[in-house]
Amino acid sequence: MGQILELDKPIDWHTHLRWDERTKIVLPHSARVFSAVEVMPNAKDPDTGKMVVDSKTVAKYKKYLQSVLAETMGSDYEFEFIMSLYLTDKTDIQDLKSGYRDGLFKAVKMYPLGATTGSDAGISEVKNVAHVLEVMSELGIPLLIHPEMSPSKEMNILESESIFVNSTLSWIRKNFSNLKIVVEHVTTKESLKFVLENSNTWGTITPQHLLFNHNAIFEGGLQPDMYCLPLLKQIEHQKYLNDNLFKAIVLDKLALGTDTAPHMSKDKYKPCGCAGVFSAPVALEAYYQAFKNNLGNDNELIKVAMQRFAHILLPVYGINLEDLPKRDISLLKSSWQVPKEYEGITPMFAGQTLEVKALNE
Ligand code: NCD
Ligand code: ZN
């Protein structure tokens, strides 16, 4: 097996690990190839039914994740969970300040109400949380944003992100120019342009929004495994994202964030099926494919770009690379077939043969 390139401590800046029986199925896939992951807070505490909306719940969720890590990877396996707090209309300022000071979380996530899976506790009107944004701006806490409007029958769902960028996001930028903003999973020209043109703004991008456009949802019949939010977009957006991928990385603006979002396949293949692509088992392989599509066969250049892509948000979050667990990941030339499922969860590229494999050595 020939080595294509090696990555030092890659980090996934957007991961869903859940808080139920799915966690032990999905967590090892992230822990195997990443040094750390940014954990999204739209997970439901099984005892209280609450999302990760206060610092006590953040601490409890992290403890749960650490216990599943020990159970699945062994008690001495090192892996870092970078926690975030779920922003709601009721976020308590004192709790925000003390939780951040105590290092319980490193960022705050904003979901517009109803915009995606687990956003029922999201914010109904951005002005309601202006006082929270003010404090975050003062303390330097990054705001992670799901950049879509709450659903409405009058709005074209394919325009949900661009409308959000031109309304809510622009309002936040105008009123809080020092606030650090990470626009999560950019899928459109408008959101990537916003990130490139503004200061104190960064983005993450998923492998599926680079590799596919919305045709993939309908190819040969309805494909629930390609249904995620934000939706895969039109070809021109996919092209813009790819054309600007390298530039955005060179400018330190765009980071690796898989948005791996596992749902049991039975919950995706039913009426009103869930949104989310489970990409963790093939994440680095998929990104490599996207980089190769854009940069050709220059593996030295791809290595530099992917390495930078995986570390861009470290200074934004105030994390030192040296403090993260060691993880050397090799991408090797090796043919393998992606399993059709992992205990009832269908991964991206299920059943397909890939020519590259990411190995932890
Ligand atoms: C995510 C999930 O399932 O938690 N789904 C998705 O399609 N990406 C939520 C999200 O990040 O929007
Ligand atoms: Zn997500």
Side-chain angles (χ1 to χ4, degrees), residues 3-42:
Q3 192 186 64
I4 300 169
L5 56 88
E6 201 180 52
L7 296 172
D8 173 35
K9 300 183 180 180
I11 302 157
D12 183 352
W13 296 98
H14 187 131
T15 304
H16 297 273
L17 293 174
R18 310 308 189 199
W19 197 339
D20 52 41
E21 63 289 347
R22 289 170 294 179
T23 311
K24 65 175 185 312
I25 305 171
V26 302
L27 171 52
H29 294 283
S30 295
R32 187 177 68 82
V33 295
F34 293 106
S35 168
V37 292
E38 155 62 48
V39 182
M40 286 294 143
N42 65 335

Side-chain angles (χ1 to χ4, degrees), residues 66-110:
Q66 284 167 333
S67 76
V68 176
L69 180 74
E71 184 191 331
T72 54
M73 302 297 283
S75 55
D76 52 0
Y77 193 85
E78 288 187 65
F79 182 65
E80 190 66 31
F81 299 102
I82 305 168
M83 306 304 289
S84 52
L85 177 75
Y86 194 131
L87 178 66
T88 74
D89 287 346
K90 299 192 189 100
T91 295
D92 182 84
I93 294 287
Q94 286 319 316
D95 183 59
L96 171 84
K97 285 185 177 170
S98 60
Y100 184 68
R101 183 196 60 218
D102 296 345
L104 295 176
F105 53 84
K106 292 264 180 225
V108 171
K109 175 79 188 258
M110 180 180 125

Side-chain angles (χ1 to χ4, degrees), residues 330-342:
S330 290
L331 286 188
L332 303 171
K333 250 193 192 45
S334 167
S335 193
W336 67 291
Q337 197 183 20
V338 180
K340 288 216 169 68
E341 59 158 303
Y342 292 95

Side-chain angles (χ1 to χ4, degrees), residues 14 16 18 42 116-117 146 185 228-229 259 261 263 275-276:
H14 187 131
H16 297 273
R18 310 308 189 199
N42 65 335
T116 186
T117 312
H146 181 101
H185 38 56
C228 63
L229 288 169
D259 192 19
H263 293 276

Side-chain angles (χ1 to χ4, degrees), residues 124-138:
S124 50
E125 168 58 57
V126 68
K127 290 178 183 141
N128 293 348
V129 293
H131 61 296
V132 185
L133 303 186
E134 185 71 54
V135 173
M136 288 173 59
S137 175
E138 276 161 26

Side-chain angles (χ1 to χ4, degrees), residues 38 158 181 216 248 282 291 293 298 315:
E38 155 62 48
L158 291 170
I181 297 173
V282 294
F291 278 73
N293 292 346
D298 187 344

